Amino acid sequence: MQTRTIVVDGIKTSYMEEGSGSPVLFIHGLGGYKENWEANLPAFAARHRAIALDLPGFGASDKPDVPYGPPWHAEFVLKFISTLGLSRVSLVGNSMGGHICSLIGATRPEIAEKIVLANATGALGAELAKGALTPDLIEMMGPVNPGEDFIRMFMGVIFFKQGPYSEKMVKRALADYEGGDLPARFNAYVKSMRGILGHDMVPLYGKIKAPTLVLWGENDAFVPLKHGHPIAEGIPGAKKAILPECGHVPMIEKPEEFNRIVMEFLG
């Protein structure tokens, strides 16, 4: 798996890729990073050129002071695809990444070959996700380290069960709070969160023409399963898959099942 940097519209963008063949672009969620897909890319690389990027504002990519949110990120992803010299890709997105994928599918159907929406935002409307996306939490996750106990509590919302994967994310989060780019990172987080909650995809789902799989961790406490139903019902011909005993990031918590289901769908 190779990690590269490319400049897209003046923004240094970090991404990793493996394999060759038809391209599949993996897009992380709010507060995530390209390494969220490190248990997935090798499995897909046997058939595809598997690519995962750090969205601007997150991971190792630049963190400019821009609007952020799904519409802005979707336009950036389109520029990223073009800069790589690609014209048509399959899109796999988790959480906010799924929101971005669905928006591209609805507004630029010539780009999306197939779409996978894993625990995607987009149908939250004005409602804050149960137990997670609250104003108090936003403030607590500000540019002052809230401490390891809080971070572990937050991981308890993200995952159904704790394991080596959650420990790794705790360490990554603590390291992020020690980084010199924390104010810019937090700015991107807050603007992206507000963008998610202010952008309703429900009226647009019917415009998605690409074959779409809506995949959900059944026990997601961050974006509960009830928010997946209008997505699956709104996209013509969408397929559904639910992973039991799984939380908000199925590609991390249950990578084998995730990889099998998604690879069967992509072909």
Side-chain angles (χ1 to χ4, degrees), residues 185-200:
R185 188 185 300 273
F186 182 64
N187 178 56
Y189 186 96
V190 172
K191 285 186 175 181
S192 296
M193 180 180 288
R194 289 173 178 164
I196 290 169
L197 298 174
H199 185 265
D200 185 9

Side-chain angles (χ1 to χ4, degrees), residues 29 88 100 106 177 200:
R88 191 164 174 84
I100 295 165
Y177 276 105
D200 185 9

Side-chain angles (χ1 to χ4, degrees), residues 27-136:
I27 305 177
H28 65 76
L30 182 69
Y33 35 85
K34 61 184 180 296
E35 288 83 5
N36 284 10
W37 305 100
E38 62 187 2
N40 314 110
L41 263 63
F44 288 84
R47 302 181 190 173
H48 303 279
R49 181 183 177 188
I51 305 165
L53 83 159
D54 282 329
L55 292 168
F58 303 94
S61 290
D62 281 350
K63 300 165 183 65
D65 187 12
V66 295
Y68 293 110
W72 186 89
H73 274 126
E75 286 300 319
F76 179 86
V77 169
L78 289 168
K79 293 173 184 176
F80 175 79
I81 292 170
S82 177
T83 303
L84 286 184
L86 304 174
S87 58
R88 191 164 174 84
V89 301
S90 290
L91 300 167
V92 180
N94 171 239
S95 192
M96 180 182 74
H99 198 145
I100 295 165
C101 291
S102 60
L103 183 54
I104 292 173
T107 58
R108 294 291 302 276
E110 75 280 8
I111 297 294
E113 182 73 32
K114 292 185 178 181
I115 300 173
V116 178
L117 307 176
N119 296 64
T121 61
L124 293 174
E127 181 182 350
L128 300 178
K130 179 182 178 182
L133 300 178
T134 66
D136 288 345

Side-chain angles (χ1 to χ4, degrees), residues 132 137 141 149-158 189 222:
L137 182 61
M141 294 182 70
D149 288 344
F150 175 82
I151 292 172
R152 289 188 180 279
M153 180 276 292
F154 188 70
M155 293 303 167
V157 176
I158 296 296
Y189 186 96
F222 196 73

Side-chain angles (χ1 to χ4, degrees), residues 183-242:
R185 188 185 300 273
F186 182 64
N187 178 56
Y189 186 96
V190 172
K191 285 186 175 181
S192 296
M193 180 180 288
R194 289 173 178 164
I196 290 169
L197 298 174
H199 185 265
D200 185 9
M201 271 297 303
V202 172
L204 297 176
Y205 285 129
K207 296 183 178 181
I208 295 177
K209 306 303 181 186
T212 301
L213 171 66
V214 178
L215 185 153
W216 225 268
E218 186 175 24
N219 308 97
D220 189 350
F222 196 73
V223 182
L225 178 58
K226 68 178 181 179
H227 296 292
H229 297 316
I231 300 177
E233 293 165 3
I235 300 174
K239 296 182 178 181
K240 294 183 287 184
I242 299 174

Side-chain angles (χ1 to χ4, degrees), residues 39-40 43-44 165 249-260:
N40 314 110
F44 288 84
Y165 44 79
V249 282
M251 72 284 190
I252 297 175
E253 191 165 6
K254 288 200 169 184
E256 293 83 7
E257 292 93 329
F258 179 92
N259 292 344
R260 175 181 55 80

